Amino acid sequence: MTAAPVLPERGTMAPAIQVTGLHKHFGRNEVLKGIDFHVDAGQVVCVIGPSGSGKSTLLRCVNRLEEPSAGQILIEGVDICDRKVDLDEVRSRIGMVFQQFNLFPHLNVLKNLTLAQRTVRGRSKDEAVQIARQTLGKVGLSEKESAYPAHLSGGQQQRVSIARALSMNPDMMLFDEPTSALDPELVGDVLAVMKDLASEGMTMMVVTHEMGFAREVGNKLVFMDGGVVVEEGLPTDVLSNPQHERTQAFLSKVL
């Protein structure tokens, strides 16, 4: 009997994410059509493209929220498509922030941040609370630990979602259009938190429509359309001088 793949020691492998020949079908609809893609440790890679291009599906495949139809996904050198891999261990290294906040409405902020720490990480209550308070401070919401989600603005709820992911001490963070559900005046606070994470060296894969963030913070920009990677490169190069006519057409409408 073959032993289950063992993840390496944290922070010892690059690239952090390696996707090769990734396909994803929903019935007869092929959403991803052979994606080759990587994120190096410490990089911020921004993924842009029109609705329906496969961006969010790619992101969800990276931590196996969606099951790939074919291809390989390596997280820190381990193939997470291997049936024997410990998905809980893999996901403990990958923080995920969605468009919607997915907070438990019946729990206050502090309990939202400590629940997974205690049930998944096995931390004591005191340790989980200490870490939760540290991460709330990081996102500027220390004074909101007793508040319930319904009493927070959308931007505050999203920052709590980021703090919850950070409380698990992930090696990398995945963001699926984290500002798309927010009122425009609330976007800046969330992006500021993400910029701080980037400056601290957090590996990040960000599906976004925020071109200013991609230009300022991203190390690489990937443009997807029709389930394929059409163009990728330095954000300033892709945004200022796109080479593919499909990229040019898209950017002409969003910049």
Side-chain angles (χ1 to χ4, degrees):
M1 185 175 180
T2 307
V6 178
L7 286 169
E9 291 296 320
R10 287 175 174 267
T12 61
M13 294 294 292
I17 303 168
Q18 179 79 53
V19 174
T20 306
L22 182 64
H23 291 258
K24 176 61 182 177
H25 301 263
F26 292 100
R28 295 184 178 181
N29 183 25
E30 187 176 22
V31 177
L32 300 178
K33 304 175 181 178
I35 299 290
D36 295 314
F37 175 90
H38 76 276
V39 180
D40 289 330
Q43 269 194 327
V44 177
V45 176
C46 296
V47 184
I48 65 172
S51 297
S53 61
K55 309 182 301 295
S56 292
T57 300
L58 169 60
L59 199 72
R60 291 171 66 85
C61 283
V62 165
N63 70 349
R64 290 276 303 279
L65 287 176
E66 294 289 354
E67 194 70 24
S69 302
Q72 185 180 60
I73 303 170
L74 302 182
I75 298 296
E76 298 181 325
V78 170
D79 184 0
I80 66 168
C81 297
D82 189 315
R83 292 181 180 180
K84 297 181 291 296
V85 77
D86 184 346
L87 270 182
D88 288 337
E89 170 63 16
V90 170
R91 287 173 178 152
S92 75
R93 300 193 179 196
I94 306 173
M96 183 92 180
V97 178
F98 300 90
Q99 296 178 39
Q100 303 302 323
F101 319 124
N102 296 327
L103 300 174
F104 292 108
H106 63 291
L107 300 179
N108 66 23
V109 166
L110 194 63
K111 290 182 179 178
N112 264 283
L113 266 65
T114 57
L115 180 63
Q117 290 190 67
R118 299 186 67 188
T119 57
V120 178
R121 285 286 192 204
R123 291 171 179 159
S124 69
K125 179 179 179 180
D126 288 346
E127 183 184 12
V129 167
Q130 180 182 7
I131 292 171
R133 285 174 171 158
Q134 289 172 351
T135 54
L136 281 175
K138 187 183 288 286
V139 302
L141 290 174
S142 294
E143 77 284 2
K144 297 295 185 181
E145 68 172 56
S146 298
Y148 285 81
H151 300 145
L152 302 176
S153 70
Q156 289 171 334
Q157 290 186 62
Q158 191 62 292
R159 283 188 281 156
V160 170
S161 297
I162 295 172
R164 179 176 58 182
L166 291 174
S167 291
M168 300 295 284
N169 300 111
D171 290 351
M172 62 197 77
M173 292 282 288
L174 309 180
F175 293 88
D176 188 5
E177 300 190 28
T179 60
S180 65
L182 301 180
D183 292 334
E185 66 268 22
L186 303 177
V187 168
D189 289 340
V190 173
L191 293 181
V193 170
M194 295 171 65
K195 289 176 184 177
D196 287 345
L197 290 177
S199 70
E200 294 169 3
M202 175 64 76
T203 304
M204 297 163 61
M205 180 177 170
V206 185
V207 172
T208 185
H209 293 296
E210 301 291 340
M211 300 302 162
F213 174 86
R215 186 191 299 270
E216 179 183 350
V217 181
N219 303 112
K220 181 166 67 175
L221 184 65
V222 176
F223 173 67
M224 288 182 65
D225 188 36
V228 300
V229 173
V230 176
E231 186 169 347
E232 64 180 285
L234 293 172
T236 51
D237 293 343
V238 175
L239 293 174
S240 302
N241 187 28
Q243 299 301 300
H244 195 283
E245 63 179 20
R246 183 66 189 93
T247 317
Q248 295 168 6
F250 174 79
L251 291 175
S252 71
K253 297 177 180 179
V254 299
L255 292 178

